[in-house]
Amino acid sequence: MPEGHTLHRLARRQQRLFGGQRVRVSSPQGRFADGAAAVDGMTFHAAEAWGKHLVHRYRDGDTERMVHIHLGLYGAFTELTAPIPEPVGQVRMRIATEEAAADLRGPTACEIYGPADLEALIARLGPDPLRRDADPDRAWASIARSARPIGALLMDQKVVAGVGNVYRAEILFRAGIDPMRAGRRMAREEFDALWQDLVGLMKVGVRRGRIHVVRPEDDHGAPAYAPDRPRTYVYRRAGEPCRICGTPVMMTELEARKLYWCPVCQT
């Protein structure tokens, strides 16, 4: 599933493509036909991200409508340029101008939102490190009173919005924190350092379009875990030597997700 930086980068890209323009919105597949008709012909006002959720705002005079999108495991946008071809495959939603289009396929959610829906979404999400209005104190309040492992809490979208398995594993390694440590055993200073590192790394992800977590002085040794992927310290490196101490990287399951860590560097 795409992590939060991907959604923020996508929002910025779509804002550049469609912002301020009247757009044609359709649902070639038909599953979003009523929703597409509700915003077809309106001006694409803004695209925003909250964690792993994307919200489009459309306006026509004093009327505003929103479309909420959650890509889930299989959702993706494909960009097209003029001359724009006919849709291919199961396109849930197409946004188009004369010069460009974006086709959405396979999302978990693609639906019309009202103000109350957006408020409810924001209320159930933790702070998003990439949003200027993020309040890290909210995340700390949840972590400081929890007996759950910090490795699980960081993946809980109600605690911190937008963090996925890669960022979870890598920021804990960079901080030298055992992912199994209970949240309530974290010091505030440790959390503050984690938050600042997360903000910085996710901003790099937005800017570069890919996750980059290995410090320059550690960018050596074994290649990335897969072709065309950035190097990581521990993510998907089970059994491989730690880039710092050489100890084999460990892997287990934590709340149904694979967890990677170094048992020496993260004590």
Side-chain angles (χ1 to χ4, degrees):
M1 184 182 297
E3 302 202 27
H5 72 288
T6 301
L7 277 299
H8 280 268
R9 185 178 174 88
L10 186 59
R12 294 184 185 185
R13 174 63 180 169
Q14 293 178 348
Q15 187 68 40
R16 288 195 294 269
L17 281 176
F18 305 120
Q21 302 180 70
R22 287 195 176 273
V23 293
R24 306 299 301 178
V25 183
S26 60
S27 180
Q29 177 196 60
R31 291 183 60 185
F32 186 58
D34 291 344
V39 296
D40 183 37
M42 299 181 77
T43 297
F44 190 102
H45 176 67
E48 301 175 90
W50 278 270
K52 300 179 181 182
H53 299 261
L54 181 67
V55 174
H56 291 165
R57 295 180 183 269
Y58 298 85
R59 288 185 179 175
D60 189 0
D62 294 332
T63 301
E64 180 177 84
R65 295 192 176 101
M66 292 179 284
V67 174
H68 165 249
I69 298 161
H70 186 29
L71 295 178
L73 288 173
Y74 305 109
F77 277 95
T78 302
E79 291 183 9
L80 306 163
T81 56
I84 299 169
E86 290 298 310
V88 175
Q90 297 297 307
V91 178
R92 183 78 56 87
M93 177 176 70
R94 167 172 282 192
I95 311 166
T97 64
E98 294 297 323
E99 292 78 28
D103 284 351
L104 172 64
R105 295 177 176 85
T108 297
C110 178
E111 56 196 340
I112 294 291
Y113 252 28
D117 299 311
L118 182 59
E119 289 178 11
L121 172 68
I122 295 171
R124 70 174 183 262
L125 292 176
D128 178 342
L130 285 170
R131 290 188 62 88
R132 293 181 181 178
D133 56 3
D135 180 6
D137 288 344
R138 289 179 52 219
W140 170 245
S142 297
I143 290 169
R145 63 173 179 261
S146 180
R148 291 170 65 200
I150 185 63
L153 292 165
L154 288 174
M155 288 277 284
D156 188 336
Q157 299 302 295
K158 297 188 296 294
V159 178
V160 182
V163 175
N165 213 355
V166 184
Y167 280 123
R168 181 264 299 271
E170 297 300 303
I171 65 166
L172 287 173
F173 178 88
R174 286 166 58 101
I177 293 174
D178 184 339
M180 295 300 185
R181 191 196 305 180
R184 64 190 181 193
R185 291 185 56 216
M186 292 282 294
R188 179 62 196 254
E189 293 77 11
E190 289 177 306
F191 168 76
D192 289 341
L194 273 180
W195 179 268
Q196 290 303 317
D197 197 31
L198 186 57
V199 170
L201 290 176
M202 293 185 78
K203 285 182 176 179
V204 170
V206 174
R207 188 168 64 249
R208 296 191 180 188
R210 63 189 299 179
I211 292 174
H212 186 86
V213 294
V214 176
R215 297 180 177 99
E217 62 269 25
D218 303 327
D219 196 6
H220 55 76
Y225 61 84
D228 300 321
R229 296 289 185 178
R231 282 179 168 151
T232 56
Y233 285 107
V234 292
Y235 178 72
R236 288 187 64 178
R237 297 194 63 240
E240 295 292 325
C242 172
R243 296 189 189 279
I244 304 302
C245 72
T247 302
V249 172
M250 301 291 289
M251 187 274 286
T252 189
E253 283 201 1
L254 178 62
E255 298 189 0
R257 297 296 302 273
K258 290 182 179 179
L259 171 70
Y260 303 86
W261 82 102
C262 173
V264 173
C265 292
Q266 296 171 260
T267 56

